[in-house]
Each structure stands twice: as structure tokens, then as C-alpha cells.
């Protein structure tokens, strides 16, 4: 894994049960969920197939292998999973050249977390090559480490990426706040035992135990996240 892992003794949030904040990338911090769908439409159009808009809810937030595999099966395209994965990554990279549109509130929240020395990780189902490109827009200094979908044997909706991030920060997963925008990501975070803040991007996400749903990242700040942990006591 090529993530940057902090030295032992990472500073935790003093005077708070909140030990770390783990953030999804696409649709949560950067406004790119639409980019992925546009690229998928273009790639399969070039292969002679038209994607149904209803499939967008199926592929959003998932690992590349699941999304691409579903689209190959749904369209019957004569192409391998490896070939489609390469085409999708290349198409997405072409779309994110230059500065990326951040979600409202993202820059402010990241600055607040780093300014208060809250251990923070970026946890995405996207591949490392994509994450490293996006980090230039987000600011790599805001993250102690990042976990990519191609660096774990099981990515979202499995808990592995969030468990790996928590371990890398020396944090108890149950004392980590996760911010996600898709059902797939929420499932991964909850399976890891984390406290989840859901900000739905494409498909609705209902409130549930240990899950708080808010309309925008602008509603989230450090006191809000610490308050979620206080509610658990």
C-alpha cells in the first residue's frame, strides 16, 4: 500500500471521544460522481451500447470491478473486465485534469480538521492512480493517510478499507466518524463499527442507528462530529 502512515503516537483529539475522521472521496469531498457516470456512458457508447439511466443507482459508490462487471453483464458488451477498467480510469483521469470542483463545505471542513490536529484519512473505492490525482486538488496535507480500492482485497461495501484506515491512525473504529455519500460506502463504514454521517449524492439514504443524515457537508463541523460521539455514551 502506498498510503502515508503516521508514526506511532498519532495525536488524538484531546478532551473528546472522537479519535479520527474518515472521509469518502467521490461525491463526498469532490463533485465527481457525475463524472464517473458520464465516462461509463461514453465508454460503453464507443462499444456500441447505451446505458440505462436507472443503472446509475446500481454502480454509484461501488468498486470498479463491481460497477464495470455489472455494466458488462447488463449490456452484453464483448469486452473484458480488465479492458473496461482501464478505459474507465483513463476516461476519468482525462476529465479531472486541472482543479476539481469540491463539494460545498469540503475545503472549510478539511482545514478545520487539520487545524485542530484531528487524525484524518481519505478512504475511497477509486484506484490509487485516481486518488493521487484528486489529492492535488483536495490538499494532501489534510490527510494522515489514504486507502484506495485497489489496495485492499475487499473494498466497499466490505469494512476492510475503514478498518485499515482506523488501524493506520491508531484509532478505535467505534470512535471514528465516517462521512459518506452512497449506500455502498455507508454499509462499509457501519460494518466496520464506525459512526456514520451520510450526505446522499445520487440515491437517498435513510437515517438509522449510528447513522445521521444531513443534506450537505456545510452542516458538518468539528463540534458536530464530536457531538455524535457524545450521543453514544
Amino acid at each position: 500500500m502506498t498510503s502515508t502512515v503516521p508514526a506511532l503516537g498519532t495525536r488524538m483529539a484531546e478532551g473528546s471521544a472522537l479519535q479520527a475522521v474518515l472521509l469518502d472521496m467521490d461525491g463526498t469531498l469532490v463533485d465527481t460522481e457525475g463524472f464517473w457516470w458520464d465516462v461509463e456512458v461514453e465508454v460503453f457508447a464507443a462499444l456500441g451500447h447505451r446505458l440505462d439511466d436507472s443503472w446509475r443507482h446500481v454502480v454509484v459508490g461501488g468498486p470498479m470491478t463491481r460497477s464495470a462487471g455489472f455494466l458488462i453483464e447488463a449490456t452484453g458488451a464483448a469486452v473484458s473486465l480488465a479492458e473496461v477498467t482501464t478505459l474507465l480510469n483513463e476516461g476519468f483521469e482525462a476529465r479531472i485534469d486541472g482543479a476539481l470542483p469540491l463539494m460545498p463545505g469540503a475545503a472549510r471542513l478539511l482545514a478545520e480538521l487539520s487545524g485542530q490536529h484531528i487524525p484524518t484519512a481519505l478512504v475511497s473505492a477509486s484506484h490509487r492512480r485516481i486518488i493521487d490525482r484528486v489529492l492535488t486538488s483536495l490538499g494532501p496535507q489534510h490527510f494522515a493517510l489514504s486507502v484506495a480500492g485497489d489496495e485492499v482485497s475487499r473494498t466497499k461495501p466490505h469494512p476492510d478499507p475503514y478498518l485499515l484506515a482506523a488501524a493506520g491512525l491508531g484509532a478505535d473504529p467505534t470512535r471514528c466518524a465516517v462521512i459518506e455519500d452512497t449506500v455502498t460506502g455507508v454499509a462499509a463504514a457501519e460494518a466496520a463499527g464506525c459512526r456514520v454521517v451520510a450526505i446522499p449524492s445520487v440515491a437517498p439514504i435513510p437515517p438509522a442507528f449510528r447513522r445521521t443524515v444531513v443534506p450537505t457537508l456545510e452542516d458538518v463541523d468539528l463540534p458536530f462530529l464530536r457531538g455524535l460521539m457524545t450521543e453514544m455514551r
Side-chain angles (χ1 to χ4, degrees), residues 49-105:
H49 298 275
R50 181 179 181 277
L51 301 190
D52 191 304
D53 284 342
S54 65
W55 297 343
R56 182 175 181 179
H57 296 278
V58 179
V59 301
V60 67
M64 179 76 72
T65 51
R66 190 196 74 181
S67 301
F70 169 83
L71 293 174
I72 291 172
E73 182 176 354
T75 60
V79 64
S80 71
L81 182 61
E83 289 171 323
V84 168
T85 297
T86 298
L87 291 171
L88 291 175
N89 275 324
E90 289 177 349
F92 186 78
E93 284 185 89
R95 282 183 174 263
I96 62 174
D97 280 338
L100 276 172
L102 302 189
M103 298 299 287

Side-chain angles (χ1 to χ4, degrees), residues 17 26 39 42 54 91 137 141 144 224:
D26 295 298
V39 170
E42 290 172 2
S54 65
S137 292
Q141 72 276 11
F224 174 84

Side-chain angles (χ1 to χ4, degrees), residues 53-172:
D53 284 342
S54 65
W55 297 343
R56 182 175 181 179
H57 296 278
V58 179
V59 301
V60 67
M64 179 76 72
T65 51
R66 190 196 74 181
S67 301
F70 169 83
L71 293 174
I72 291 172
E73 182 176 354
T75 60
V79 64
S80 71
L81 182 61
E83 289 171 323
V84 168
T85 297
T86 298
L87 291 171
L88 291 175
N89 275 324
E90 289 177 349
F92 186 78
E93 284 185 89
R95 282 183 174 263
I96 62 174
D97 280 338
L100 276 172
L102 302 189
M103 298 299 287
R108 185 263 314 153
L109 178 61
L110 291 176
E112 181 181 13
L113 294 175
S114 60
Q116 294 298 315
H117 305 288
I118 305 298
T120 303
L122 186 66
V123 183
S124 175
S126 291
H127 289 188
R128 170 55 57 185
R129 60 188 282 189
I130 298 297
I131 287 182
D132 286 345
R133 293 283 294 277
V134 175
L135 275 171
T136 61
S137 292
L138 287 174
Q141 72 276 11
H142 295 307
F143 303 96
L145 64 85
S146 59
V147 177
D150 57 341
E151 295 173 341
V152 289
S153 57
R154 302 187 309 169
T155 188
K156 303 173 186 180
H158 298 286
D160 305 37
Y162 282 112
L163 292 174
L164 182 61
L169 295 175
D172 178 350

Side-chain angles (χ1 to χ4, degrees), residues 117 147 181 185 217 230:
H117 305 288
V147 177
D181 74 303
L217 203 58
T230 302

